[in-house]
Amino acid sequence: QVQLVESGGGLVQAGGSLRLSCAASGTIFVINVMGWYRQAPGKQRELVAAITSGGSTNYADSMKGRFTISRDDAKNTVYLQMNSLKPEDTAVYYCNADITPYRGSSYRYRDWGQGTQVTVSS
């Protein structure tokens, strides 16, 4: 019942910037964690960055200092500002959310977006 819609991917030259957005809709009480993962052809999906409902952030080492994750709870949206992009950042970027569907719920679940392509040229 939850849909994650991503946008902002595209083609950019090395050293450039992109801003990804992911908007969640559906049955949501709180999004405990929202984050971004990426997957390049032939490689496993890896964490890029994540942010909790309290604002705590976590970044993969290769992204520290270049990427910034933020969230707007009023819009159920997470953003990923990507600066100083490198060709090795080329991948499909997926939005992820850990969701508590209603107040008092005894469970929560994970959901994924469809992915958005980021291509960084040399």
Side-chain angles (χ1 to χ4, degrees), residues 23-106:
S25 61
T27 305
I28 302 169
F29 174 66
V30 64
I31 301 175
N32 305 295
V33 183
M34 293 189 76
W36 292 92
Y37 290 72
R38 70 185 185 186
Q39 187 168 23
K43 296 184 178 181
Q44 293 187 329
R45 191 171 298 185
E46 64 175 346
L47 172 71
V48 176
I51 185 167
T52 70
S53 61
S56 298
T57 59
N58 186 38
Y59 297 91
D61 288 342
S62 63
M63 271 65 82
K64 290 180 179 177
R66 299 190 298 122
F67 293 5
T68 301
I69 189 169
S70 61
R71 62 189 288 168
D72 184 342
D73 289 342
K75 297 180 178 180
N76 285 330
T77 299
V78 64
Y79 306 94
L80 183 68
Q81 179 66 47
M82 304 186 293
N83 299 324
S84 302
L85 283 164
K86 305 174 182 179
E88 52 263 41
D89 294 320
T90 296
V92 177
Y93 284 70
Y94 295 92
C95 179
N96 174 260
D98 183 293
I99 297 167
T100 298
Y102 59 90
R103 190 175 188 272
S105 175
S106 60

